[in-house]
Amino acid sequence: MIDKKWDRRIGRANELASTYPFSAEGLNYYARVATFQKTLYTEIQRTLADSPKSSADRPLRDELDLFLLLPRFPGFLSVIQKIAPAPLAEAADSLAEKGTGGWQRAIEDFWRGDTEVGPAENDAEGVQATDSLDATYSDRSLAWIFLQPYAEYLADHREGAIVDGAPSTCPLCGGKPIVGVLRSEGDGAKKSLICMLCAHEWAFRRIYCPACGEEREPQMAYYSAPEIAHVRVDVCDTCHTYLKSIDLTKTGLAVPVVDELATIPLDLWAREHGYEKLQINLLGT
C-alpha cells in the first residue's frame, strides 16, 4: 500500500507533464525526486520494521534518528546534483563539500527549528531564478526534500490521536499546509489540509484562513480557471495570502500534492494580484 502511495504520485506527475506542457520540466524533476523519496521511505520502513508505533502524545519532531539518516544523505545529494535545476544542484554540491558536520547541521536546523522554506523570487515561468537561491534557503530546501519521507514515515507509524478543533498547522509536526483538499460530503464538500513536511492530512474549516484566522466570509474568496477547473486558489483579502485546493469531487484521480505542483499559472495569477503563497512547494513556486 505504501508503494502504491508513492507510485500514484510518480504516475500522476508523469501524466500531468503530458497534460500541462508548461509544467513538464518541474513535474519531470518532481517524479525523479519522488522516486528517490520512495526508495528512502522503503529503506526506513525496512530498518524500523520491528519498532513499535510512536505514542500519539509524543511530538513527531522529538524523533530524529541521525544514525539512520546521515549515512543516506550523501547519496541524496548525489541524486540532486544530477537531476535538480542548476541553482539547487550547485547548492547540493556545496553542501556535499561540508562533510558530515555540515550535513548534520542542515538536517537539525530544519528539523528542530521552524520548517519555513522560502518564499524566493521566481521568473516568469515559475522556475526559481539562479541568483535568488541563497545558501540558507538552499540548505533548508535540501533538508526539506530529504526529510519529507522520514517525517511521512513517522506520521504513518504512530498511534491515532484525537485533534481538538481544526488547527492551522499540522497537529503532528507543526508544519504549514502545502495544499487543501475538497471531498464529497452530503450535498457539499468537506475540506482538509495536507502538511508540507509529514504529509499528514487533517480536517479544516471551509471558511477560515490558515494564515491569519480570518473567518468573515466577505474576506475569503476562491478563483479557478476553466482549463484547470479542479484546482482553485483560496485567497484571504485580510492578510493577502493564498493556498491552492484540489477538488476531488471534480477530478477523483487527482493527487493533491502533485496537482498543486502542476498548476503554475494559478500561482502566477495569484502573485500578479498581490497574494503571497502560504507555503511554497518543492519546486519553489
Side-chain angles (χ1 to χ4, degrees):
M1 182 174 177
I2 296 299
D3 284 348
K4 289 183 179 179
K5 174 173 66 173
W6 291 97
D7 289 342
R8 282 197 300 272
R9 294 174 187 172
I10 296 165
R12 184 64 172 169
N14 290 329
E15 175 188 352
L16 292 180
S18 299
T19 305
Y20 302 141
F22 49 78
S23 297
E25 182 179 356
L27 288 167
N28 289 332
Y29 163 65
Y30 170 76
R32 298 178 74 179
V33 166
T35 298
F36 170 84
Q37 291 181 321
K38 172 187 173 182
T39 300
L40 179 56
Y41 187 106
T42 301
E43 291 177 356
I44 293 169
Q45 185 177 44
R46 185 182 303 117
T47 302
L48 302 179
D50 297 328
S51 301
K53 287 189 174 182
S54 299
S55 169
D57 297 329
R58 183 183 184 187
L60 184 148
R61 285 202 281 163
D62 278 0
E63 303 181 50
L64 182 62
D65 191 339
L66 289 170
F67 289 102
L68 173 66
L69 295 171
L70 276 175
R72 293 168 170 81
F73 197 69
F76 160 72
L77 292 176
S78 178
V79 169
I80 295 299
Q81 287 170 310
K82 295 173 183 175
I83 70 171
L88 200 59
E90 291 168 4
D93 184 58
S94 176
L95 186 54
E97 294 177 355
K98 295 180 181 179
T100 305
W103 308 339
Q104 181 170 338
R105 281 192 299 275
I107 290 171
E108 289 184 327
D109 286 350
F110 180 83
W111 189 260
R112 304 293 190 196
D114 186 351
T115 54
E116 178 73 26
V117 179
E121 296 297 323
N122 298 284
D123 66 20
E125 297 299 325
V127 178
Q128 236 164 46
T130 300
D131 59 1
S132 70
L133 202 67
D134 63 32
T136 300
Y137 171 80
S138 58
D139 283 0
R140 294 181 68 78
S141 295
L142 291 167
W144 177 21
I145 296 169
F146 177 73
L147 287 167
Q148 197 277 315
Y150 175 67
E152 188 165 349
Y153 172 84
L154 295 180
D156 289 342
H157 294 81
R158 64 195 297 108
E159 298 172 352
I162 298 175
V163 178
D164 294 329
S168 295
T169 57
C170 176
L172 298 189
C173 75
K176 288 184 178 181
I178 193 76
V179 66
V181 185
L182 298 170
R183 289 187 172 84
S184 297
E185 183 178 57
D187 296 328
K190 63 179 180 180
K191 185 174 184 178
S192 58
L193 301 177
I194 295 178
C195 177
M196 55 83 77
L197 178 57
C198 72
H200 175 67
E201 183 174 338
W202 71 98
F204 199 68
R205 296 163 58 181
R206 288 288 301 272
I207 307 299
Y208 193 82
C209 175
C212 73
E214 178 63 78
E215 56 186 343
R216 292 174 295 170
E217 192 165 351
Q219 293 298 104
M220 307 293 292
Y222 67 86
Y223 302 91
S224 60
E227 302 83 0
I228 319 173
H230 72 293
V231 183
R232 73 186 205 183
V233 180
D234 296 330
V235 305
C236 174
D237 285 323
T238 298
C239 66
H240 301 287
T241 298
Y242 79 95
L243 180 75
K244 285 188 280 186
S245 290
I246 313 303
D247 191 341
L248 297 181
T249 69
K250 294 182 178 179
T251 303
L253 296 177
V255 178
V257 295
V258 182
D259 285 59
E260 196 283 331
L261 293 171
T263 49
I264 291 172
L266 296 180
D267 293 291
L268 297 178
W269 177 91
R271 287 171 176 140
E272 287 170 359
H273 287 78
Y275 298 105
E276 181 178 325
K277 201 169 193 178
L278 177 61
Q279 173 60 54
I280 65 168
N281 57 39
L282 290 179
L283 301 183
T285 57

